[in-house]
């Protein structure tokens, strides 16, 4: 029998540092992004990641495995 394939490691640039929380915000409105970035930016050991579309958000969620995902429910092309 062949050994089980190991899961591919996440790229180091994307992987959260030890003790770091990752907040993924899927939002297309720049003003809302600025506000949320200001709020999350004040939280120690937290990284803010922004995606402008549902597709980008799904890709980022798969790559980052974020601690929290916040999604705009009115994204163009695909509802949140």
């Amino acid at each position: 029998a062949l050994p089980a394939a190991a899961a591919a490691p996440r790229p180091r640039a994307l992987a959260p540092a030890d003790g770091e929380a990752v907040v993924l915000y899927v939002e297309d409105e720049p003003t809302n992004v600025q506000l949320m970035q200001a709020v999350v930016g004040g939280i120690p050991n937290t990284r803010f990641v922004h995606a402008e579309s549902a597709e980008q958000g799904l890709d980022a969620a798969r790559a980052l495995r974020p601690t929290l995902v916040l999604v705009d429910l009115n994204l163009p092309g695909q509802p949140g």
Side-chain angles (χ1 to χ4, degrees), residues 24 26 51 53-64 78:
L24 172 59
V26 185
S53 69
E55 294 80 14
Q56 289 176 356
L58 287 170
D59 289 343
R62 286 183 190 109
L64 294 170
Q78 183 170 355

Side-chain angles (χ1 to χ4, degrees), residues 25 27-39 48 50:
Y25 188 42
E27 172 64 73
D28 62 328
E29 192 64 41
T31 304
N32 293 342
V33 174
Q34 289 175 350
L35 173 63
M36 190 59 67
Q37 189 168 23
V39 170
F48 179 83
H50 168 242

